[in-house]
Amino acid sequence: MSNLFKKYWPLLILPIGFILDLITKQLALNIDDTIVIIPNFFSLELVFNKGAAWGILFPKWFLISINLVAGVGFITYFFKTKGTKLSKVGCVLIATGAFGNLIDRAFYEYGVIDFIAFDFFGYQFPRFNFADSFIVIGVIIFLVALFIEERKNGVHN
């Protein structure tokens, strides 16, 4: 395995995740009614989100800017730091999700395409998409990696 691949393999997540997000959102546009997968737990339901997380409203230009800055920022961090592979995977996942939702915000008037629906004991979790999942999983991985690195270096003993 080449040193280049060893160093940069997490970047493969970006095109794969981006394409997965794009394809699933395009498929979701064909959902006319709720598609129940597991009754009272998991379904697919098309929702257009013009806001940020949980539909919090901000101007479109602001959300596009945030997605762009986050995506570029985490890719820059990937290249500029000597972080662990785990932190770099987190960076790429966050950037992948940011770019996925950026495309929706920039090119679709109706906002971000959300379609994954979970119901937890009667609570309907806000609808989301793969880009949102990449961001959340990426943040968790990134924070865990930073915590492990701090513990390893004795920063917070």
Side-chain angles (χ1 to χ4, degrees):
M1 190 181 309
S2 77
N3 284 338
L4 204 57
F5 182 77
K6 280 183 182 178
K7 189 173 182 178
Y8 296 114
W9 71 263
L11 287 174
L12 291 174
I13 296 168
L14 187 80
I16 293 167
F18 184 79
I19 290 168
L20 174 66
D21 181 61
L22 189 65
I23 290 171
T24 56
K25 287 175 178 174
Q26 290 306 304
L27 291 171
L29 289 173
N30 296 312
I31 298 173
D32 292 328
D33 199 7
T34 302
I35 300 170
V36 176
I37 309 295
I38 301 172
N40 300 316
F41 180 67
F42 176 59
S43 58
L44 302 176
E45 179 182 354
L46 179 62
V47 175
F48 299 107
N49 182 357
K50 288 190 176 194
W54 293 281
I56 298 170
L57 294 176
F58 289 100
K60 183 177 178 174
W61 65 266
F62 179 76
L63 295 172
I64 288 171
S65 300
I66 293 295
N67 282 129
L68 185 60
V69 167
V72 170
F74 277 98
I75 291 300
T76 301
Y77 183 89
F78 178 94
F79 285 107
K80 297 283 185 183
T81 66
K82 293 181 180 181
T84 64
K85 291 289 184 222
L86 193 59
S87 70
K88 290 187 178 239
V89 166
C91 285
V92 173
L93 281 167
I94 295 167
T96 302
F99 290 139
N101 284 337
L102 169 68
I103 293 299
D104 287 7
R105 289 194 172 103
F107 295 105
Y108 299 123
E109 187 60 34
Y110 43 76
V112 174
I113 301 165
D114 290 332
F115 60 92
I116 301 171
F118 280 99
D119 186 346
F120 294 107
F121 305 104
Y123 172 74
Q124 290 187 342
F125 195 77
R127 304 311 180 244
F128 60 99
N129 57 47
F130 279 98
D132 299 333
S133 299
F134 296 147
I135 293 169
V136 170
I137 293 167
V139 166
I140 291 168
I141 289 172
F142 186 75
L143 292 175
V144 166
L146 291 179
F147 176 77
I148 291 170
E149 192 63 25
E150 283 185 2
R151 299 290 292 181
K152 182 179 157 188
N153 293 332
V155 175
H156 288 82
N157 283 335

